[in-house]
Amino acid sequence: MSGSEADRRIPNQRAHTRSRMSIDEKISKTLNDLDAISPEAIGELFGEVTSALESERKALIAAGAGDGRERSQKVKDLRDRWLARKGGLVSLIDENWLKKAPKELKPAVGRAFNQLRQVATCVDTESLLQEVRVQADVPVRLVAHAGVEFTAEVIRGQDLTLPGYRQPMGSIHPVTQVMREIEDIFLGLGFSIESGPEIESVYYNFDALNIPESHPARDDWDTLYVNSETVLRTHTSPVQIRAMEKHGAPLYILCPGKAYRHDNPDSTHATMFHQVEGLAVDRDISFADLKGTLDYFARKFFGDKIKTNFVPSFFPFTEPSGELSISCVFCGGEGCRVCKESGWIEVMGCGMVHPEVLRHGGIDPERYSGWAFGLGVERFAMMKYDINDIQLFHQGDVRFLEQF
Ligand code: PHE
């Protein structure tokens, strides 16, 4: 072996031995002993020190907290190991590497050492305690937010510098949005909101609304009976009776809420759906008030271009009764598949409150008159957003819901 070959080999062997030394051993030697005589080798050494520091810090955080005293002790140990003035690894690097560095390498070592000192502040007692404490809270916070149980076991040993679990933002359900929009329009007209029970007596759901048991109209509401006296309300109209009893006249109210029917689910029927009903009772209320108000409402909701049309109909609790149609929102009245080529879409039932119903609400029909309407919120949402299946609202599919 020639001399020059031997010269080339020795540093390699040393470098090999060096890589097997622990970081503490390396720090106890001089750069010369370690054969770190080039700026690259120095950079590499300091890199090793920094990753050792990082992984010790992470291991402590990931090991979890234990009780308060154990936590403080572990934090103090790690801090002392690195930052103690006497015998701390950073001081030893100062002594053994920086101070003993050959002159020409001093600037490079000095720079690397300063960086290390800055990085090493991550194991000072304050910041470390803070992180260990946060870590102690992590399982609780994750359970609370995600509803998923991440135990300390799962978290231990994970890389806590990875980005957190992202909480998807929720949004207001389209049915609720449309319901609020309808409410806002009527609140602006001076109406107030009333609510009542969804499990309702047969009296409020039917009898008080002028639908006696013998009356065939009861069959119009496919009713879910709880028992012979109690039903799941088939409409929110019973709230109108309750409100009349409670407040008397004059009365301007809106009754939004859930209603239930024994319908087979299809693209336009659901067992549970939402209604908004309205009631105005005052002196000299006429059909003109009904027409004017509902026309105003339809334009506010669907846009100024909409035309309204009232068609005679029948409800036991209103006389006369009507259906309000609007010019088709899809074709502008020209005729299309949705409006069945008629140019019009029926959107709600309405009428002048039957004197018998006022009487049941404790209001004298000789002195007062009123009008009422009832609409299906899902149907309004379907028209507004061009949705063709009512079931989509109730399936809770996020891909559908996040579009609103
Ligand atoms: N209660 C009726 C229904 O559920 C709607 C309606 C309310 C009709 C008020 C006229 C007046 O179908």
Side-chain angles (χ1 to χ4, degrees):
M1 195 193 298
S2 74
S4 65
E5 268 183 305
D7 279 346
R8 254 185 282 125
R9 258 219 209 137
I10 291 161
N12 283 346
Q13 277 173 350
R14 282 201 187 164
H16 189 63
T17 335
R18 192 173 76 202
S19 69
R20 278 191 309 210
M21 275 185 220
S22 75
I23 201 73
D24 299 60
E25 273 175 278
K26 287 181 193 175
I27 291 172
S28 70
K29 303 206 177 319
T30 65
L31 293 176
N32 211 26
D33 291 336
L34 295 165
D35 202 34
I37 47 174
S38 67
E40 293 78 46
I42 288 164
E44 204 184 306
L45 261 180
F46 274 93
E48 277 177 55
V49 173
T50 312
S51 21
L53 171 75
E54 269 303 318
S55 56
E56 287 181 33
R57 177 178 146 272
K58 279 186 202 162
L60 172 63
I61 294 166
D67 64 22
R69 196 175 320 137
E70 190 190 330
R71 193 191 304 164
S72 317
Q73 187 57 49
K74 281 185 178 166
V75 165
K76 188 175 175 308
D77 289 348
L78 189 66
R79 185 254 159 219
D80 289 347
R81 169 169 159 72
W82 286 89
L83 298 179
R85 232 171 251 263
K86 271 203 176 147
L89 292 176
V90 173
S91 291
L92 289 175
I93 289 173
D94 189 10
E95 291 298 319
N96 301 337
W97 292 2
L98 181 59
K99 291 204 173 120
K100 291 178 188 160
K103 217 184 192 152
E104 69 280 10
L105 285 177
K106 273 240 160 87
V109 181
R111 237 176 286 123
F113 179 71
N114 277 338
Q115 276 178 10
L116 172 68
R117 265 213 307 221
Q118 270 178 12
V119 174
T121 55
C122 72
V123 290
D124 72 27
T125 318
E126 271 307 286
S127 53
L128 203 52
L129 257 183
Q130 177 71 16
E131 284 189 87
V132 177
R133 221 176 275 134
V134 168
Q135 162 64 6
D137 290 334
V138 163
V140 180
R141 283 190 303 151
L142 287 179
V143 172
H145 284 198
V148 181
E149 208 165 329
F150 286 88
T151 61
E153 287 313 310
V154 175
I155 282 164
R156 209 161 282 157
Q158 300 222 343
D159 184 352
L160 293 167
T161 61
L162 288 172
Y165 296 90
R166 191 182 288 274
Q167 296 299 321
M169 286 289 286
S171 60
I172 296 177
H173 194 283
V175 167
T176 308
Q177 282 186 38
V178 168
M179 194 138 93
R180 288 187 185 168
E181 208 174 308
I182 297 169
E183 287 170 13
D184 278 348
I185 297 173
F186 281 94
L187 286 171
L189 290 172
F191 283 65
S192 50
I193 311 270
E194 283 287 322
S195 56
E198 290 171 24
I199 301 173
E200 187 55 282
S201 68
V202 166
Y203 172 76
Y204 280 113
N205 195 78
F206 289 126
D207 301 83
L209 288 161
N210 203 29
I211 321 170
E213 198 175 359
S214 58
H215 202 289
R218 267 209 197 185
D219 298 343
D220 291 349
W221 286 271
D222 301 278
T223 311
L224 289 158
Y225 280 85
V226 175
N227 56 42
S228 59
E229 299 295 310
T230 320
V231 298
L232 296 186
R233 70 179 180 198
T234 57
H235 44 191
T236 57
S237 310
V239 182
Q240 302 189 1
I241 305 286
R242 289 174 178 275
M244 285 191 270
E245 284 177 348
K246 197 156 123 199
H247 305 293
L251 189 64
Y252 293 85
I253 55 157
L254 212 59
C255 316
K258 293 185 169 73
Y260 301 83
R261 291 192 194 168
H262 191 210
D263 274 327
N264 284 330
D266 62 22
S267 65
T268 54
H269 295 85
T271 317
M272 183 284 298
F273 62 102
H274 295 76
Q275 279 195 330
V276 174
E277 296 209 352
L279 172 71
V281 180
D282 210 332
R283 296 248 181 196
D284 304 320
I285 292 270
S286 73
F287 202 88
D289 298 302
L290 178 159
K291 276 189 89 169
T293 313
L294 293 183
D295 184 76
Y296 169 83
F297 162 70
R299 283 163 199 276
K300 268 272 182 204
F301 188 88
F302 291 109
D304 264 342
K305 292 208 182 78
I306 286 296
K307 291 195 201 70
T308 54
N309 189 33
F310 291 82
V311 183
S313 182
F314 171 78
F315 296 103
F317 32 82
T318 45
E319 184 59 35
S321 302
E323 300 276 357
L324 171 67
S325 294
I326 58 165
S327 50
C328 179
V329 280
F330 299 104
C331 64
E334 277 174 21
C336 68
R337 186 184 49 83
V338 181
C339 62
K340 302 194 183 94
E341 306 301 332
S342 72
W344 295 96
I345 306 181
E346 265 177 32
V347 293
M348 65 174 91
C350 57
M352 299 306 290
V353 183
H354 197 290
E356 203 53 33
V357 173
L358 288 175
R359 219 171 275 126
H360 282 133
I363 291 173
D364 180 0
E366 301 296 324
R367 297 176 63 210
Y368 289 100
S369 53
W371 59 260
F373 73 89
L375 62 85
V377 183
E378 278 84 348
R379 195 164 146 66
F380 266 59
M382 286 166 82
M383 285 186 278
K384 180 159 185 129
Y385 299 118
D386 194 6
I387 294 163
N388 57 15
D389 188 351
I390 194 175
Q391 303 302 330
L392 287 165
F393 290 119
H394 308 141
Q395 287 163 342
D397 186 332
V398 177
R399 292 167 302 178
F400 170 74
L401 296 175
E402 70 189 358
Q403 298 174 55
F404 301 94

